[in-house]
C-alpha cells in the first residue's frame, strides 16, 4: 500500500495531469468561430454544425447525415439511404435491392423492387418483371414518333411496334420478321433459321416519280444457296451455291463506274474480272483479271496498274511482269531467281551463287557459297572483297578500279 504523499502517488497525479490534454484531443470538443461547432469523439462519433449545413457520423459508418444548401443525405449502413437534391429524392434499401426515385421538375418517377420495376417519364412508361416480361411505351411526344416494346422471357420473344414499323423476334433470333419504314427506307424481312431468310429494302430514287432503288437478299439452308440483288447504279447480282464451292457474280458492286464478273467452282476452277471506268469520259481506267485451276496448282492474276503474275503449285514456280517491263522469275519460292528491276539485274542459285548488278551505276554484289566469298562494287568505284563475310581480301581505291 502506498501512503498519501508518497513518491508513487505523486507520479500518478503527474500522469493524470499530462493525460488531460490528450483526452481533450481525443474527445475533440471544440467551439470554432461562430456559427460553426464541432464534436469529435474518435472513433465513435463526429458532428459539425454551421449556419447552413450540418453533418453527423456514427462510426464505423453505421449512421451518417449531412445537410447543406444543395440537399440532404442520410444513410444507415447498409440498410437504408435517402438523398434529396434539387427537389429530386432518391431512396434505397439494402444497398440498392429496392429503391424509389422521384424528380418532379423532370417528370420522372421510378420504383425498383426485387425482380420488379416501374418507371414513368414524360410521354413514356415502362414496367418489368424479371425475367418474365418487360414493357415500354412512348406516346404523344411532339418531337419523336410513338412506339411500344414488349418482351417475354427476355430474348425468347420480343415485339416492337411504331406507327410505320413493326418487328417480331422469337427463340433467340431463330424466327424473326419485320416490316415498315425505318429512317425513310421501307424494309421487309423474314427469317426461319437455318432453313430460310429473305430481306428487302427500297426507297425512292429521286430521279423520276415511281422509280425505286432496291436491295434484295435471299438465303436457303445457310450456305446452300444465297442470292444478292440490287439496282444501285446499273444493278448487281451475286449467287453463291454451297459457297465457297460455286459463286457467280455480275454487275456493279460499288458504283456505276465499276463492273464485276466472277465464276468459281472450287477447288476445280475460278475466274473473275473487275473493271473501273472514268466518271467523266467513261473510258476504261483499270481492271483486274484472275483465273485459277485446281487452286493452288495454277493461279493467273493480271492488274493493269501492277502487272501480271503466275503461280504454280502455290508459288513453287512464280513469274511476274510489271507494266514498266520489270520481270521476276522464281523456282522453289526463292532458291532460283532471275529478275530485272529497272536497270538492276538479279541472278540467284541459292546458296551456291548470287549476284546483283546495275550496268548504269556500274555496281555489283556477288555472294558465293552462302558467304564463303563476298564481292561488292559501289557507285563511287570502291571495291570490297571478303571471305566468310568478315575476313578482308584487300581493298582498292576508286582510282585503281577500271571503269
Amino acid at each position: 500500500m502506498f501512503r498519501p504523499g508518497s513518491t508513487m502517488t505523486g507520479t500518478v497525479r503527474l500522469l493524470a495531469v499530462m493525460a488531460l490534454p490528450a483526452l481533450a484531443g481525443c474527445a475533440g470538443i471544440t467551439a470554432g468561430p461562430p456559427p460553426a461547432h464541432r464534436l469529435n469523439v474518435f472513433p465513435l462519433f463526429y458532428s459539425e454544425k454551421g449556419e447552413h449545413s450540418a453533418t453527423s457520423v456514427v462510426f464505423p459508418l453505421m449512421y451518417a447525415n449531412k445537410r447543406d444548401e444543395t440537399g440532404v443525405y442520410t444513410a444507415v449502413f447498409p440498410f437504408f439511404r435517402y438523398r434529396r437534391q434539387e427537389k429530386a429524392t432518391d431512396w434505397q434499401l439494402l444497398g440498392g435491392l429496392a429503391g424509389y426515385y422521384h424528380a418532379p421538375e423532370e417528370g420522372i418517377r421510378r420504383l425498383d423492387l426485387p425482380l420488379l420495376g416501374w418507371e414513368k417519364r414524360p410521354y413514356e412508361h415502362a414496367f418489368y418483371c424479371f425475367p418474365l416480361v418487360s414493357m415500354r411505351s412512348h406516346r404523344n411526344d411532339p418531337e419523336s414518333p410513338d412506339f411500344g416494346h414488349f418482351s417475354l422471357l427476355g430474348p425468347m420473344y420480343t415485339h416492337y411496334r411504331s406507327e410505320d414499323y413493326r418487328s417480331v423476334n422469337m427463340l433467340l433470333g431463330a424466327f424473326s420478321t419485320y416490316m415498315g419504314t425505318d429512317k425513310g427506307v421501307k424494309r421487309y424481312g423474314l427469317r426461319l433459321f437455318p432453313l430460310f431468310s429473305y430481306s428487302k429494302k427500297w426507297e425512292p430514287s429521286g430521279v423520276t416519280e415511281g422509280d425505286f432503288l432496291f436491295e434484295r437478299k435471299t438465303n436457303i439452308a445457310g450456305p446452300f444457296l444465297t442470292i444478292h440483288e440490287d439496282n444501285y447504279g446499273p444493278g448487281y447480282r451475286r449467287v453463291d451455291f454451297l459457297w465457297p464451292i460455286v459463286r457467280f457474280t455480275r454487275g456493279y458492286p460499288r458504283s456505276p463506274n465499276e463492273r464485276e464478273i466472277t465464276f468459281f467452282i472450287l477447288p476445280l476452277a475460278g475466274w473473275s474480272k473487275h473493271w473501273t471506268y472514268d466518271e467523266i469520259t467513261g473510258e476504261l481506267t483499270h481492271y483486274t483479271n484472275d483465273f485459277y485451276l485446281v487452286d493452288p496448282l495454277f493461279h493467273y492474276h493480271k492488274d493493269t496498274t501492277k502487272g501480271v503474275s503466275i503461280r504454280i503449285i502455290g508459288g513453287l514456280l512464280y513469274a511476274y511482269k510489271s507494266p514498266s517491263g520489270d520481270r521476276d522469275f522464281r523456282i522453289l519460292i526463292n532458291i532460283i531467281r532471275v529478275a530485272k528491276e529497272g536497270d538492276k539485274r538479279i541472278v540467284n542459285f541459292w546458296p551456291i551463287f548470287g549476284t546483283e548488278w546495275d550496268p548504269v551505276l556500274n555496281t555489283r554484289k556477288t555472294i558465293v557459297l552462302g558467304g564463303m566469298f563476298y564481292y561488292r562494287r559501289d557507285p563511287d568505284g570502291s571495291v570490297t572483297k571478303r571471305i566468310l563475310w568478315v575476313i578482308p581480301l584487300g581493298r582498292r581505291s576508286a582510282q585503281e578500279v577500271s571503269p
Side-chain angles (χ1 to χ4, degrees):
M1 298 295 295
F2 297 98
R3 295 187 305 274
S6 65
T7 304
M8 183 58 68
T9 302
T11 303
V12 171
R13 290 177 178 176
L14 178 60
L15 292 176
V17 173
M18 294 176 62
L20 287 176
L23 292 175
C26 290
I29 303 174
T30 60
H37 299 276
R38 298 183 183 90
L39 175 62
N40 185 1
V41 183
F42 183 81
L44 301 178
F45 179 76
Y46 173 81
S47 176
E48 180 179 355
K49 184 177 181 181
E51 182 180 4
H52 301 291
S53 64
T55 301
S56 299
V57 179
V58 178
F59 294 101
L61 297 180
M62 292 299 297
Y63 170 82
N65 179 63
K66 181 178 181 181
R67 174 181 55 83
D68 56 24
E69 297 89 340
T70 62
V72 177
Y73 174 87
T74 303
V76 180
F77 183 82
F79 306 103
F80 169 79
R81 190 196 77 178
Y82 167 75
R83 179 169 53 191
R84 178 174 58 82
Q85 190 172 14
E86 296 180 355
K87 298 183 180 181
T89 58
D90 182 10
W91 300 74
Q92 283 193 8
L93 297 177
L94 298 175
L97 185 63
Y100 175 77
Y101 176 80
H102 183 208
E105 292 187 349
E106 300 177 9
I108 299 175
R109 192 187 299 266
R110 184 174 65 247
L111 175 65
D112 293 314
L113 299 173
L115 305 180
L116 293 173
W118 172 80
E119 183 178 25
K120 179 183 178 182
R121 292 175 175 269
Y123 314 109
E124 193 167 322
H125 292 77
F127 169 79
Y128 73 89
C129 179
F130 182 83
L132 299 178
V133 62
S134 68
M135 295 181 290
R136 181 175 293 273
S137 62
H138 186 88
R139 295 286 184 273
N140 305 319
D141 187 352
E143 297 183 357
S144 60
D146 296 348
F147 71 87
H149 182 272
F150 173 79
S151 68
L152 184 65
L153 292 174
M156 298 302 292
Y157 176 84
T158 61
H159 181 201
Y160 175 86
R161 181 177 62 181
S162 65
E163 182 179 358
D164 301 321
Y165 190 78
R166 176 176 294 183
S167 68
V168 176
N169 190 307
M170 298 176 60
L171 300 175
L172 302 173
F175 170 80
S176 64
T177 181
Y178 58 88
M179 65 181 66
T181 302
D182 181 24
K183 298 179 181 179
V185 179
K186 293 184 177 181
R187 300 175 183 271
Y188 174 78
L190 175 65
R191 183 183 188 189
L192 299 172
F193 182 82
L195 300 179
F196 174 79
S197 69
Y198 174 82
S199 66
K200 182 180 179 180
K201 64 178 181 179
W202 64 99
E203 58 184 321
S205 65
V207 178
T208 60
E209 185 177 357
D211 185 30
F212 289 88
L213 298 175
F214 78 90
E215 181 183 57
R216 182 168 50 231
K217 298 179 182 179
T218 305
N219 178 276
I220 298 176
F224 185 78
L225 176 66
T226 62
I227 302 174
H228 175 102
E229 299 173 280
D230 65 52
N231 67 342
Y232 300 128
Y236 179 70
R237 170 174 289 186
R238 186 181 74 212
V239 179
D240 295 337
F241 178 71
L242 290 177
W243 177 249
I245 296 178
V246 177
R247 164 173 281 193
F248 171 74
T249 304
R250 69 171 177 82
Y252 299 74
R254 300 178 183 88
S255 71
N257 302 311
E258 299 183 56
R259 187 178 180 185
E260 179 182 79
I261 292 180
T262 62
F263 182 72
F264 294 149
I265 304 179
L266 293 177
L268 299 179
W271 174 70
S272 68
K273 192 169 184 177
H274 186 278
W275 299 266
T276 303
Y277 299 89
D278 186 87
E279 296 183 3
I280 300 177
T281 64
E283 297 181 354
L284 178 66
T285 58
H286 173 253
Y287 80 87
T288 60
N289 192 358
D290 281 273
F291 172 75
Y292 61 83
L293 184 65
V294 192
D295 194 45
L297 181 64
F298 177 82
H299 191 137
Y300 169 86
H301 175 77
K302 182 178 181 179
D303 189 313
T304 53
T305 60
K306 298 180 180 179
V308 179
S309 65
I310 297 176
R311 285 183 172 86
I312 299 178
I313 313 180
L316 295 181
L317 180 64
Y318 171 82
Y320 168 78
K321 181 180 179 180
S322 71
S324 62
D326 290 349
R327 293 176 174 84
D328 194 348
F329 177 79
R330 307 183 188 190
I331 298 177
L332 298 174
I333 302 179
N334 205 23
I335 299 299
I336 299 176
R337 184 186 180 196
V338 179
K340 174 181 177 293
E341 298 177 357
D343 297 321
K344 185 170 65 174
R345 307 294 190 270
I346 301 173
V347 177
N348 281 335
F349 298 92
W350 190 260
I352 300 174
F353 175 79
T355 183
E356 300 179 7
W357 75 96
D358 188 326
V360 176
L361 299 178
N362 192 27
T363 61
R364 180 181 291 271
K365 182 173 67 175
T366 301
I367 299 175
V368 179
L369 296 176
M372 178 66 73
F373 175 78
Y374 174 84
Y375 172 86
R376 173 178 160 184
R377 183 173 62 221
D378 295 319
D380 60 359
S382 61
V383 175
T384 302
K385 299 178 183 179
R386 294 176 182 170
I387 295 178
L388 296 177
W389 295 97
V390 295
I391 305 176
L393 287 178
R395 301 174 181 269
R396 292 191 295 167
S397 63
Q399 292 77 12
E400 296 176 331
V401 179
S402 59

